[in-house]
Amino acid sequence: MHRHSLEHDGIILSFLDAGGDGKPLIALHGHWMGASDFNVLAEDLAPDWRVIALDQRGFGETDHAVPHSMTAYVSDVIALLDHLSITEQVPVLGHSFGGIVAYHLAAAHPDRISAMVIEDIGVNIQDDSTPYVADWGGTFRLREDLEERLGPRLAPYLQNSIHRVAEGWALNFDPTEFLVSEQATNGDHWTIWLQSQCPALVVSGSESRICEAAELRSMAEQRAGTTFAQLDAGHSVHIDAPKEFVDLLRQFLKD
């Protein structure tokens, strides 16, 4: 995966592109995470698929301290497709926060999206992560100090979100800005979910602490052309069960 950037809406968007001759697949990360969390997935899907992963606004190497809204998130993905001159319909994979963006994208731009994979996120979102992230901000003298603050359950998943700064170690997102993004994605998205008509796969992690499998199963049952699958994993299914996730993804995209 190679790092690139573009300017859109007055901000610099950063993204990773696997390149090659494979068919393009857009990947959108979850909150607290970034495009680099799809590196292994990109390797596993090559050479058939060219994974293009966006650092969404406020995360990773994309500009921070910017406006947050569903309209803005969707427009960022369209700008990425336009920048890469991808005019054909493409599948989109969205994990958590990225999944919300994905089904809004499919509803708003059916001419650009051929299929969507929604990884462990529902449509009735009422999150408040303030207790988790309130003390994550600032700079930590040692990387281990920051990992300890994140805690043993979350630190392994945020390794790619920790970076070196002049005074020590910090997260590559501002916890305060994340809470703004969280509010922008909260709400009842059932209507949007049902608006699009492209094939969809909803993937549940059996050990997820974020989503109830019953809601994800209901999403598949109430939307035509949608399949539900559950893998032995937590919320980050593509990280916890990489081989099984890739096998599932390949079969869905083939079908």
Side-chain angles (χ1 to χ4, degrees):
M1 296 275 271
H2 298 282
R3 178 73 63 176
H4 304 276
S5 60
L6 71 141
E7 185 168 4
H8 163 67
D9 196 24
I11 69 174
I12 302 300
L13 297 171
S14 181
F15 66 96
L16 292 172
D17 188 346
D21 298 325
K23 297 180 287 293
L25 166 67
I26 301 300
L28 303 174
H29 64 82
H31 277 138
W32 309 347
M33 305 179 88
S36 58
D37 289 287
F38 294 109
N39 277 329
V40 173
L41 179 71
E43 293 176 3
D44 290 342
L45 287 175
D48 300 318
W49 292 93
R50 168 193 173 191
V51 174
I52 303 162
L54 175 67
D55 272 345
Q56 299 193 74
R57 55 174 62 200
F59 295 90
E61 295 188 18
T62 287
D63 281 353
H64 297 191
V66 295
H68 288 268
S69 69
M70 290 308 308
T71 300
Y73 300 141
V74 168
S75 74
D76 291 344
V77 182
I78 295 299
L80 174 62
L81 292 173
D82 291 344
H83 175 74
L84 295 172
S85 299
I86 297 174
T87 57
E88 72 271 24
Q89 289 183 313
V90 297
V92 58
L93 160 65
H95 171 226
S96 195
F97 158 47
I100 305 171
V101 178
Y103 55 67
H104 275 262
L105 175 67
H109 297 276
D111 57 320
R112 307 299 292 269
I113 303 302
S114 62
M116 58 179 170
V117 178
I118 307 302
E119 182 185 348
D120 209 63
I121 194 66
V123 289
N124 185 15
I125 315 297
Q126 302 296 335
D127 293 334
D128 181 6
S129 300
T130 304
Y132 292 102
V133 306
D135 57 355
W136 287 3
T139 301
F140 295 76
R141 182 63 177 166
L142 299 177
R143 184 186 183 103
E144 289 78 2
D145 294 337
L146 176 50
E147 291 177 344
E148 183 178 358
R149 184 65 58 85
L150 295 173
R153 183 172 68 86
L154 296 176
Y157 295 99
L158 296 182
Q159 291 300 306
N160 292 331
S161 298
I162 298 173
H163 68 142
R164 187 75 163 91
V165 296
E167 299 81 12
W169 300 87
L171 293 169
N172 63 6
F173 63 91
D174 180 349
T176 301
E177 185 176 8
F178 149 68
L179 292 173
V180 175
S181 178
E182 185 177 64
Q183 289 302 309
T185 54
N186 275 346
D188 185 340
H189 303 276
W190 266 110
T191 301
I192 296 296
W193 168 247
L194 296 173
Q195 276 183 13
S196 60
Q197 298 180 354
C198 64
L201 171 65
V202 178
V203 184
S204 167
S206 61
E207 305 304 315
S208 174
R209 301 188 185 186
I210 302 299
C211 297
E212 293 290 339
E215 180 184 356
L216 303 189
R217 191 182 299 275
S218 179
M219 288 167 59
E221 291 172 348
Q222 297 191 41
R223 183 184 181 278
T226 305
T227 303
F228 171 84
Q230 186 174 74
L231 295 179
D232 185 11
H235 179 55
S236 298
V237 185
H238 69 283
I239 296 175
D240 289 346
K243 182 183 184 304
E244 294 81 1
F245 186 82
V246 166
D247 289 346
L248 182 65
L249 186 56
R250 278 188 178 278
Q251 188 61 51
F252 169 72
L253 293 172
K254 179 182 177 181
D255 292 343

